[in-house]
Amino acid sequence: MKVAVYCGSRSGNEPLYAEKARELGEFFGCNGIDLVFGGGHVGLMGIIADSVLASGGKVYGVIPQHLVNRELAHPGLTELFVVRDMHERKAKMAELADGFVALPGGIGTLEEIFEMWTWGQLGMHQKPCGFYNVEGFYDALLEMVRSMVAAGFVKQQYLDMIVLTQTPTELIDRFNAYVPPQEKWT
């Protein structure tokens, strides 16, 4: 299994974010789960990549050339794909991964997981999407999505397709048990 992880290019203000990224990376590495990620050596991205590698796992990075030029590419990956832009990056990560999860991060993290969530809703892939909800980091965001459901803009089945967890074991168990919802326009 290959899991795409979207997360901060910073470590955040709480040491727990780094600890949980390291824990998830160790779990992946020790359990034969490959990491697909944005290819950087900084922030939570670098932490989870280093953790998977240190635990004997494989790590596949996908990074745009302009970030390579800024010397942000991780130097020790199993394989690094250098692409033209962020659109190509997201498409390549989607192609490589069997599922997608967001750890704490910023607007780029949200943009990436929301695109995969949308693609799943539209039937463009049949892969699970999730939020690794460290200490309730995504609670307010998911409350906003619940408001969208209540207002009639999102069907409950598309909220229900999200895997929400705080543990590596539950994440992978729920990814393995995932059943995609009916496509939005069928």
Side-chain angles (χ1 to χ4, degrees), residues 135-152:
E135 292 297 311
F137 183 83
Y138 285 112
D139 286 353
L141 175 76
L142 293 168
E143 189 57 39
M144 179 63 209
V145 177
R146 287 185 195 95
S147 297
M148 293 172 177
V149 171

Side-chain angles (χ1 to χ4, degrees), residues 168-181:
T169 302
E170 184 181 13
L171 175 71
I172 298 307
D173 287 348
R174 296 210 31 219
F175 272 23
N176 284 329
Y178 177 74
V179 176

